[in-house]
């Protein structure tokens, strides 16, 4: 009964919120906001990215500090050179065009679109690009050694060609250069460089840039407060003519309401006050009657794109023994994870670090999974317990139980008591909390002394970087990019930047495969260095097969489920023609990121 009261109160609060947000009044003839109201048939409501009061709209600020739609991979105000279509793996045009036939392991070549313009009428030029990549706030020096600019002449006028030179002396990795080209939003050099000259880069990065910012994208910042961010369509956006046959985006306004929790988000979706979201909504199939839909109409509902996992601190006993790590992986009830932790939003998990998707699945060799991988398909509890107990015995681990059958502690082969292990995970992330709880339950039943360790963000992020954990929940490479699955292997297994405990690790936070140690496997780093430079598809497949074998043998982390890059869910009560598996004109992404922004030109009002 209390939960029903809570939901009722939330519904009333949301109704009141949207009375203010949408309003009962109309708009003036030119569509401007009248009396604080927006016409519903002109406005698209999106959520799931901004969960706190807006701060900076500065494209030079660190991504974590900038508010939607400026931080991260958002194309609505500031745009990248190219976008990546996660449906088919194709690179698509935006500010530029990737010249694939000229791109190779030495340089990646992009032609700037001569039609591209800033909102102040000035053209987007190579100076804007070189500013952002070489003189702005991001450091691309390890990936790009230089940018060569040439001017081509053709009948339509001059075109600037940029060659992004792969830094051979540093990363020597054309894959990560491609990642940068679709992830880096270009800012206007003619706006920022004079300010940097006067104030310095650090001071300029602190500026809010929220008053009439100069942008290249299809929308500009209209207004914002602690409850919402409002964008207004730029009818003079250069891409309407150059990329969309003269058509305008369907919504005149885009509003991002700011909710305190997912429950408010769920209510707004169900009542048609929200058009699309990337928030976790449990049991999404029950919302279909209210017009809420996903990519597929049946499990797993969402296209997989990310792999949450338990990263293991391989420097600590007994976690430094791969036999024990494999026992940990085997002890988990993956059926329960799929059904109860993530509402069936994932297909059955396969051993290894490669996802069985259209883009990556070609690198999976099924016979290797049973030969090298832990057995993740055991459905009988008694069988799983027996298998894990045998694995623990082989690793020299003894489980000591109390008289009532509950687990007391573990001992190593010397008879020494081992400390209780802990899984570090952010508190309040409900789907992650459920995954950790189910994993701990399975491990303890099998005699593994481990507990949940839910902490706030202020503890979680430092612990992960410094190695202050036993196991930690982590989602490596959350975005689907051109470098997958290489980037996932690199983040979990690379020893190139190996750091000891207490040193900050950006990759390989589990400190796996320490160079110079007896367990060091040099072939891991050799493969990670070779794959980005390979051009023969059969050689690439062989290399990924070897990497996946090593991962399965050594088990430096424990993948738990396949989840989407975004929880793409939408309502068709106001706007229709959203992309789905039956209508796949765009990826399963909200219309603010990557190739998903083309949705804005395809939406139609419901009749």
């Amino acid at each position: 009964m209390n939960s029903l009261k809570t939901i009722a109160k939330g519904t009333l609060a949301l109704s009141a919120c949207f009375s203010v947000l949408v309003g009962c009044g109309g708009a003036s003839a030119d569509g401007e906001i009248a009396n604080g109201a927006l016409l519903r048939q002109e406005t698209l409501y999106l959520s799931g990215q901004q969960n706190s009061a807006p701060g900076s709209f500065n494209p030079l600020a660190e991504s974590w500090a900038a508010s939607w739609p400026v931080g991260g991979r958002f194309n609505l105000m500031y745009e990248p050179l190219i976008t990546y279509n996660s449906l088919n793996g194709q690179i698509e045009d935006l500010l530029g065009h990737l010249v694939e036939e000229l791109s190779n392991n030495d340089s990646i070549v992009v032609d700037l679109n001569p039609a591209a313009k800033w909102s102040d009428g000035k053209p987007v030029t190579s100076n804007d690009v070189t500013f952002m990549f070489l003189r702005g706030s991001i450091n691309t020096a390890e990936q790009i050694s230089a940018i060569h600019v040439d001017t081509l002449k053709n009948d339509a006028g001059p075109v600037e060609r940029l060659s992004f030179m792969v830094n051979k002396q540093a990363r020597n990795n054309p894959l990560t250069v491609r990642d940068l080209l679709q992830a880096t939003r270009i800012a206007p050099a003619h706006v920022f460089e004079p300010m940097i000259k006067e104030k310095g880069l650090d001071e300029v990065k602190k500026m809010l840039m929220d008053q009439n910012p100069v942008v290249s994208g299809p929308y500009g910042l209209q207004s914002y407060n602690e409850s919402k961010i409002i964008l207004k369509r730029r009818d003079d956006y250069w891409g309407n003519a150059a990329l969309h046959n003269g058509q305008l985006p369907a919504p005149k306004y885009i509003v991002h309401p700011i909710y305190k929790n997912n429950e408010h988000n769920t209510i707004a979706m169900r009542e048609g006050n929200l058009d699309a979201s990337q928030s976790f909504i449990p049991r999404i199939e029950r919302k279909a009657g209210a017009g809420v839909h996903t990519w597929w109409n049946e499990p797993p509902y969402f296209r997989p794109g990310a792999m949450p996992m338990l990263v293991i601190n391989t420097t600590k006993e007994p976690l430094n023994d791969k036999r024990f790590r494999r026992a940990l992986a085997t002890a988990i009830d993956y059926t329960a994870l799929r059904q109860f932790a993530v509402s069936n939003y994932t297909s059955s998990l396969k051993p290894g670090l490669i996802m069985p998707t259209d883009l990556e699945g070609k690198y999976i060799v099924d016979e290797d999974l049973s030969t090298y991988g832990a057995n993740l398909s055991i459905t009988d509890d008694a069988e799983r317990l027996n298998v894990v107990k045998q694995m623990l015995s082989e690793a020299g681990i003894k489980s000591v139980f109390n008289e009532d059958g509950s687990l007391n502690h573990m001992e190593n082969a010397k008879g020494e008591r081992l400390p209780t292990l802990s899984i570090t995970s952010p508190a309040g992330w409900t789907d992650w909390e459920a995954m950790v709880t189910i994993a701990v339950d399975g491990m303890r039943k099998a005699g593994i002394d481990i507990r949940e360790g839910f902490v706030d963000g202020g503890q979680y992020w430092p612990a992960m970087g410094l190695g202050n954990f036993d196991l930690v929940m982590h989602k490596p490479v959350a975005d689907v990019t051109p470098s997958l699955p290489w980037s996932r292997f690199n983040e979990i297994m690379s020893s190139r930047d190996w750091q000891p405990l207490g040193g900050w690790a950006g990759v390989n936070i589990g400190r796996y495969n320490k160079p110079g140690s007896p367990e060091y496997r040099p072939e891991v780093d050799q493969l990670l260095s070779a794959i980005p430079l390979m051009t023969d598809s059969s050689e690439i497949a062989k290399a990924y097969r070897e990497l996946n074998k090593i991962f399965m043998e050594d088990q430096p982390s424990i993948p738990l489920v396949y989840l989407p890059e975004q929880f793409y869910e939408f309502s068709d009560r106001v706007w229709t023609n959203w992309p789905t598996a039956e209508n796949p004109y765009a990826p399963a992404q909200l219309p603010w990121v990557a190739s998903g922004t083309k949705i804005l030109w395809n939406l139609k009002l419901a009749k």
Side-chain angles (χ1 to χ4, degrees), residues 364-387:
I364 295 176
V365 180
D366 286 338
E367 65 187 71
D368 291 346
L369 306 186
S370 56
T371 304
Y372 301 96
N375 189 346
L376 312 183
S377 60
I378 304 174
T379 56
D380 181 76
D381 287 344
E383 179 186 355
R384 185 185 306 106
L385 296 182
N386 287 333
V387 170

Side-chain angles (χ1 to χ4, degrees), residues 548-563:
N548 213 32
K549 284 181 183 177
I550 295 169
F551 174 84
M552 289 186 286
E553 288 175 342
D554 288 358
Q555 200 77 59
S557 71
I558 305 172
L560 298 176
V561 293
Y562 305 130
L563 288 183

Side-chain angles (χ1 to χ4, degrees), residues 3 26 165 195 269 355 418 439 441 490 513 536 548 600 603:
S3 60
M165 309 307 296
M195 292 192 295
M269 284 291 292
M355 296 187 67
L418 295 170
D441 181 65
N490 183 70
N513 207 32
D536 183 273
N548 213 32
L600 295 167
L603 291 175

Side-chain angles (χ1 to χ4, degrees), residues 239-500:
N240 292 332
L243 302 174
H244 298 284
N245 299 314
Q247 184 181 348
L248 296 176
K252 185 161 189 174
Y253 299 97
I254 298 177
V255 177
H256 190 313
I258 298 171
Y259 301 123
K260 293 183 178 179
N261 55 51
N262 279 355
E263 182 181 298
H264 285 182
N265 184 90
T266 301
I267 294 169
M269 284 291 292
R270 188 183 64 211
E271 298 198 347
N273 290 326
L274 193 57
D275 298 306
S277 179
Q278 65 169 32
S279 299
F280 179 76
I281 298 179
R283 298 173 294 280
I284 194 78
E285 69 279 5
R286 299 184 184 179
K287 313 297 187 298
V292 179
H293 306 285
T294 52
W295 183 258
W296 288 298
N297 293 322
E298 55 189 31
Y301 303 107
F302 303 93
R303 284 181 58 85
M307 193 184 292
M309 61 184 67
L310 298 173
V311 178
I312 303 170
N313 189 332
T314 61
T315 68
K316 295 185 175 182
E317 185 188 6
L319 299 168
N320 57 355
D321 188 331
K322 65 182 179 181
R323 296 172 300 177
F324 183 74
R325 298 195 295 263
R326 288 167 59 87
L328 289 173
T330 308
I332 298 171
D333 185 344
Y334 294 92
T335 301
L337 278 178
R338 185 170 69 250
Q339 293 179 349
F340 303 118
V342 294
S343 294
N344 245 1
Y345 296 166
T346 179
S347 56
S348 296
L349 192 74
K350 294 178 179 288
L353 210 54
I354 302 174
M355 296 187 67
T357 62
D358 295 339
L359 299 179
E360 297 183 33
K362 58 191 173 185
Y363 301 126
I364 295 176
V365 180
D366 286 338
E367 65 187 71
D368 291 346
L369 306 186
S370 56
T371 304
Y372 301 96
N375 189 346
L376 312 183
S377 60
I378 304 174
T379 56
D380 181 76
D381 287 344
E383 179 186 355
R384 185 185 306 106
L385 296 182
N386 287 333
V387 170
V388 175
K389 288 177 180 179
Q390 179 62 34
M391 297 175 77
L392 292 175
S393 177
E394 292 172 359
I397 300 297
K398 178 183 178 182
S399 304
V400 179
F401 293 88
N402 298 314
E403 291 184 2
D404 62 1
S406 61
L407 180 64
N408 188 289
H409 65 275
M410 297 185 300
E411 296 177 355
N412 62 18
K414 299 177 183 178
E416 299 167 334
R417 179 170 178 157
L418 295 170
T420 300
L421 300 171
S422 176
I423 299 178
T424 301
S425 182
W429 295 20
T430 54
D431 52 336
W432 281 26
E433 286 184 346
M435 286 187 240
V436 170
T437 299
I438 290 171
V440 166
D441 181 65
M443 292 176 187
R444 290 195 66 80
K445 284 179 179 177
I448 298 167
D449 187 15
I450 192 166
R451 293 290 186 185
E452 302 93 335
F454 299 126
V455 298
D456 64 31
Q459 296 173 280
Y460 170 74
W461 298 107
M464 190 164 61
L466 297 172
N468 185 24
F469 61 85
D470 299 322
L471 295 88
V472 64
M473 276 292 295
H474 180 45
K475 184 168 65 174
V477 195
D479 299 324
V480 179
T481 71
S483 66
L484 282 172
W486 176 88
S487 50
R488 190 181 302 115
F489 279 105
N490 183 70
E491 187 166 343
I492 296 300
M493 302 174 69
S494 173
S495 298
R496 179 167 186 160
D497 299 310
W498 196 93
Q499 291 290 325

Side-chain angles (χ1 to χ4, degrees), residues 85-88 92 295-296 303 358 568 577-588 595 598-599 602:
N85 190 321
S86 58
L87 277 179
N88 53 28
E92 298 179 352
W295 183 258
W296 288 298
R303 284 181 58 85
D358 295 339
Y568 167 75
N577 198 39
W578 295 91
T580 63
E582 291 76 32
N583 184 26
Y585 69 84
S595 184
K598 67 178 68 172
I599 296 170
N602 288 274

